[in-house]
Amino acid sequence: MTYTNCPAMGGSPIPTCQIAFRPRAPLVTSSDTRAYFLDGDSDVGYLTPDGRTGTAIHLPASPRVRYAVAVTPDDLRIAVAAFDYVGPGTYGNPTVTSNIFVQDLAGGNRVDLFSSTSVTEWPIGWHDGHLVIAVGPAGLVQYTVDNPYFTIEGYHVADATNGARLATIGTGDECVHGPVVRGGAACLLSRGMALGYRSWDGIEHVFAPWMDFGPTPGALSPNGIQLAGSNTGPPENSHVNLISVSGITQLNAKGIVQGWLDDEHVVYFAVLSSRTFIFDLATGNSAAVPQTNSPGMPGSPSAYLQFPSR
C-alpha cells in the first residue's frame, strides 16, 4: 500500500501509516462465493475458492481517504464507508468526515446513506438484505478490542435503500465480544451481570449469570443457541466454556476463543503454542489448524484475527 503524509495534525505532518487513530475497519469481507479485500488505497480485490483473483471495483483514490467495504451475499451490491480526513486536528481527535453509500458492485445505482463528522461508522456485512454497521467515535477506530471489526460501540442494522436505522445491537461496549454471526452478537447484558446475545432485531437473549472470574463471552454460535467463552485470568490457563440456557460447561481446551466454523466446531487460539485449534463438540477432540505464516503474538489482536469469521 502507498500513503502520503497527512495534513498537519497536532503541529506537524505525520505519515498516514503512523497515525494511531487511523481507521482500522476490517480489510476483508465475503459473499457466498468470494472473499473481498482492500487492495492498496482504493481498489477492492476478490479471491474465489479455486484461487482466482481479480479487481472487483476501483474506488476514487485520494491521499486523505480510507475505505471500509461489505459486499452482499449475491455479489451484486457493495456498501462503502469513506473516511475523509478533511483538515487538521489534534492528535487523537482528527477532523474526519465519514460517508456511507451503497452501489452496484459493477458500478452505478449509488445511494448515499449517511454522513457525519461526530461519529464513525463502517459496514461489516449484510443480514436479510439490510446493512450491518459497526460504530465508533469520530475518527477513533484503532483499538485493541474483543472483535475483528474494531467496533467499540456496538452495531446498527440499517435499511440499505435509505439508511434508516432498524435496530441497535448494544450500547457502549455491551455487545463488542467476538465475531458476529447470522444469529447476532455476543453480549454482556444486564449491565454486565449476564451472559447472552442480541439478535439482529435488537432483542436481548440471556443465557446465564456472569460472575467475577467466570467465563466471558467470546463468540456466539451461528444458530444463536450458545456462546463459546474463556475464563477470565491468564489466557494460557483459561478453559474454553460453552454457555447456554442450560448453564455453563467447561471444555477440555485452553485458550482464547476466536469463532465457530459451524454450530459444532469452535475455533480457539492456544497461547502457549501460539497455534489455532478447532474443537469438535461431538468428539471432544481438538485439531491444530495448519499454518504457513508465522504465529501471532500470544494474546494479541493479530493472533485473534488469524481466523476470519463471517
Side-chain angles (χ1 to χ4, degrees):
M1 297 185 179
T2 58
Y3 302 106
T4 61
N5 283 357
C6 291
M9 294 183 182
S12 62
I14 306 173
T16 301
C17 61
Q18 295 179 13
I19 294 179
F21 46 74
R22 71 186 186 276
R24 261 304 277 282
L27 301 179
V28 179
T29 185
S30 64
S31 68
D32 286 342
T33 59
R34 292 176 169 181
Y36 293 89
F37 55 93
L38 288 170
D39 184 11
D41 296 332
S42 57
D43 288 349
V44 179
Y46 68 84
L47 172 67
T48 63
D50 60 4
R52 292 183 293 113
T53 62
T55 299
I57 189 171
H58 299 280
L59 297 171
S62 169
R64 298 188 326 193
V65 176
R66 300 290 301 275
Y67 289 106
V69 302
V71 178
T72 55
D74 59 9
D75 302 286
L76 294 180
R77 301 278 280 170
I78 183 172
V80 180
F83 307 103
D84 188 354
Y85 289 82
V86 295
T90 60
Y91 184 83
N93 187 28
T95 305
V96 182
T97 296
S98 301
N99 296 285
I100 297 179
F101 61 90
V102 176
Q103 67 174 58
D104 291 346
L105 189 60
N109 295 318
R110 171 168 167 161
V111 178
D112 292 294
L113 302 181
F114 174 82
S115 181
S116 177
T117 58
S118 60
V119 297
T120 303
E121 300 188 357
W122 57 100
I124 64 167
W126 297 75
H127 179 74
D128 287 344
H130 303 309
L131 190 58
V132 179
I133 297 172
V135 184
L140 297 171
V141 186
Q142 184 168 328
Y143 280 82
T144 300
V145 291
D146 293 330
N147 63 80
Y149 320 107
F150 292 90
T151 180
I152 61 171
E153 296 182 8
Y155 309 94
H156 293 162
V157 179
D159 188 316
T161 64
N162 57 26
R165 190 189 307 183
L166 304 176
T168 298
I169 313 302
T171 57
D173 60 356
E174 179 187 62
C175 296
V176 299
H177 309 280
V180 300
V181 293
R182 67 175 183 270
C187 305
L188 275 172
L189 300 168
S190 302
R191 297 185 178 180
M193 298 306 296
L195 298 163
Y197 75 101
R198 287 190 183 273
S199 47
W200 292 117
D201 52 11
I203 296 175
E204 70 173 46
H205 305 263
V206 174
F207 284 154
W210 182 84
M211 304 297 290
D212 288 342
F213 308 107
T216 58
L220 180 68
S221 62
N223 58 16
I225 290 178
Q226 56 192 338
L227 294 170
S230 303
N231 291 337
T232 56
E236 63 271 16
N237 295 321
S238 295
H239 278 273
V240 176
N241 299 267
L242 296 182
I243 304 106
S244 69
V245 292
S246 300
I248 299 173
T249 301
Q250 182 173 280
L251 302 181
N252 185 27
K254 293 182 179 180
I256 303 169
V257 173
Q258 296 179 287
W260 296 71
L261 281 183
D262 53 36
D263 294 321
E264 297 297 325
H265 295 88
V266 179
V267 181
Y268 66 96
F269 181 76
V271 173
L272 292 179
S273 64
S274 293
R275 299 286 303 272
T276 292
F277 289 82
I278 299 173
F279 187 93
D280 188 321
L281 298 186
T283 66
N285 296 323
S286 294
V289 175
Q291 61 184 52
T292 57
N293 59 311
S294 300
M297 295 295 292
S300 71
S302 296
Y304 181 85
L305 292 175
Q306 283 183 22
F307 178 76
S309 294
R310 178 175 176 267

